[in-house]
Amino acid sequence: MRVLVTGAGGQLGRELVQAFDGHEVVALDHARGDVTDRDAVLQAVTTVAPEAVVHAAAWTAVDACEGDPDRAYRVNALGTRHVADAARRVGAQVCFVSTDYVFDGSKPEPYVEWDPPNPASVYGRSKLAGERELDPGAILVRTSWVCGRHGHNMVKTILRLAGEHDELTFVDDQRGHPTFADDLATMIRRLVLERRRGLYHVTNQGAVSWFEFARAVLDAAGLEPNRVKPIATADLDPPRPAPRPPNSVLDNAALRLGGVALLPHFSEPLGRLVAELRRSP
Ligand SMILES: NC(=O)c1ccc[n+]([C@@H]2O[C@H](COP(=O)([O-])OP(=O)(O)OC[C@H]3O[C@@H](n4cnc5c(N)ncnc54)[C@H](OP(=O)(O)O)[C@@H]3O)[C@@H](O)[C@H]2O)c1
């Protein structure tokens, strides 16, 4: 299959390019394919004429989005319109990567694909607007708390902080599913190659708070997990500009009910990543 990946320089994008190894992959990073540039997107997609476009490009700086909604909507919503429009012209299926932040987090149970979204942040609203640019034949993958070997993410941050401070504090009132970019890319590959359609929640399994996750990271690195102490989001100083959903646990219901094996518990890829970061930090 010929596949074009947007956001190919990002932490997920780089794993996606690798996951489609063996197929014809065209990697469009920010420099070569700015999704806000309609002409550039149309030209790139119509020249390549892929069978599928995995659209992973996004402005993911959640707090910065709060201060610049125009930029958030330009990249995450209008950029997705450009990608969807270009893909339509060459008959390519779009797979759009969206976020747990489309939910406000007030539901006590995990969110299923059929729950109504109600984003609390600019980032979440702009990604939901992107979802709404897609044709019904598209694949929509919502994921959460993405970590991996490329780029910045919480595993690297936690390990860095552990090297700098004796005691670490993390919030204990935001829960989600940590998801590892290589596992996520593998599932996206499967959904694309099987030409599935519709909305899928795709995460690693194992719901934790950030506090519990930070402890798991230290434990995986052979460090003392009790060095991590819990705090409440309300006690963060300074408070973060964008509200986070207290519950962003995504039930992978469409996969589960469809009999597709879910991604493993996060401890498995976490162990793999920590070992890899040790070898080459
Ligand atoms: N990270 C998470 O926890 C998380 C959670 C849920 C969903 N997601 C979604 O997963 C996808 C991948 O995220 P990620 O974690 O891989 O984030 P990432 O590392 O920030 O990757 C996003 C990529 O998009 C690029 N980009 C930004 N603006 C662009 C533009 N105008 N045109 C083209 N490319 C542009 C970025 O390039 P520059 O760095 O050069 O700007 C970056 O390489 C995104 O759609 C995100 O919304 C992420």
Side-chain angles (χ1 to χ4, degrees), residues 6-13 28-31 33-36 55-61 71 75-76 96-101 123 127 142-147 150-152 184:
T6 72
Q11 64 167 341
L12 175 60
L28 214 59
D29 62 16
H30 195 166
D34 184 338
V35 296
T36 66
H55 178 32
W59 192 32
T60 57
R71 180 173 167 192
V75 179
N76 297 341
F96 177 57
V97 186
S98 191
T99 171
D100 51 333
Y101 283 26
Y123 170 72
K127 291 291 292 185
R142 286 197 195 127
T143 191
S144 61
W145 295 24
V146 179
C147 311
H150 304 298
H152 301 289
L184 175 61

Side-chain angles (χ1 to χ4, degrees), residues 9-110:
Q11 64 167 341
L12 175 60
R14 290 175 68 175
E15 296 291 352
L16 282 166
V17 171
Q18 207 164 321
F20 280 99
D21 195 27
H23 293 264
E24 197 181 330
V25 190
V26 177
L28 214 59
D29 62 16
H30 195 166
R32 293 202 312 133
D34 184 338
V35 296
T36 66
D37 182 338
R38 180 172 179 271
D39 292 340
V41 173
L42 288 180
Q43 182 169 358
V45 175
T46 53
T47 304
V48 173
E51 292 154 88
V53 177
V54 184
H55 178 32
W59 192 32
T60 57
V62 175
D63 288 319
C65 283
E66 216 60 27
D68 193 349
D70 275 359
R71 180 173 167 192
Y73 279 92
R74 193 179 305 119
V75 179
N76 297 341
L78 198 59
T80 303
R81 178 177 300 184
H82 298 155
V83 171
D85 186 15
R88 203 175 290 125
R89 290 173 191 228
V90 296
Q93 188 183 30
V94 175
C95 175
F96 177 57
V97 186
S98 191
T99 171
D100 51 333
Y101 283 26
V102 299
F103 296 117
D104 63 18
S106 60
K107 186 183 175 190
E109 302 85 25

Side-chain angles (χ1 to χ4, degrees), residues 18-244:
Q18 207 164 321
F20 280 99
D21 195 27
H23 293 264
E24 197 181 330
V25 190
V26 177
L28 214 59
D29 62 16
H30 195 166
R32 293 202 312 133
D34 184 338
V35 296
T36 66
D37 182 338
R38 180 172 179 271
D39 292 340
V41 173
L42 288 180
Q43 182 169 358
V45 175
T46 53
T47 304
V48 173
E51 292 154 88
V53 177
V54 184
H55 178 32
W59 192 32
T60 57
V62 175
D63 288 319
C65 283
E66 216 60 27
D68 193 349
D70 275 359
R71 180 173 167 192
Y73 279 92
R74 193 179 305 119
V75 179
N76 297 341
L78 198 59
T80 303
R81 178 177 300 184
H82 298 155
V83 171
D85 186 15
R88 203 175 290 125
R89 290 173 191 228
V90 296
Q93 188 183 30
V94 175
C95 175
F96 177 57
V97 186
S98 191
T99 171
D100 51 333
Y101 283 26
V102 299
F103 296 117
D104 63 18
S106 60
K107 186 183 175 190
E109 302 85 25
Y111 283 94
V112 297
E113 287 84 342
W114 298 277
D115 281 322
N118 183 34
S121 62
V122 169
Y123 170 72
R125 286 194 285 276
S126 69
K127 291 291 292 185
L128 180 62
E131 290 185 6
R132 291 179 170 159
E133 296 292 340
L134 303 174
D135 293 342
I139 307 169
L140 213 167
V141 170
R142 286 197 195 127
T143 191
S144 61
W145 295 24
V146 179
C147 311
R149 69 193 118 172
H150 304 298
H152 301 289
N153 61 61
M154 283 303 278
V155 173
K156 291 183 184 176
T157 303
I158 291 163
L159 291 175
R160 179 178 51 78
L161 291 173
E164 294 169 358
H165 306 280
D166 290 337
E167 191 174 295
L168 313 178
T169 51
F170 281 90
V171 296
D172 198 24
D173 54 4
Q174 294 171 27
R175 294 182 75 73
H177 277 161
T179 302
F180 287 74
D182 50 355
D183 280 353
L184 175 61
T186 303
M187 184 63 84
I188 289 176
R189 173 183 190 273
R190 174 172 178 178
L191 298 175
V192 168
L193 294 181
E194 292 181 357
R195 292 198 169 278
R196 290 182 179 249
R197 292 167 160 231
L199 174 55
Y200 290 89
H201 288 173
V202 181
T203 63
N204 283 113
Q205 301 304 296
V208 278
S209 69
W210 284 113
F211 158 69
E212 291 165 332
F213 185 55
R215 288 172 60 110
V217 172
L218 262 58
D219 199 30
L223 302 170
E224 173 51 65
N226 289 328
R227 288 169 55 196
V228 186
K229 306 293 179 203
I231 53 165
T233 301
D235 295 333
L236 281 176
D237 185 24
R240 300 172 86 177
R244 265 71 174 173

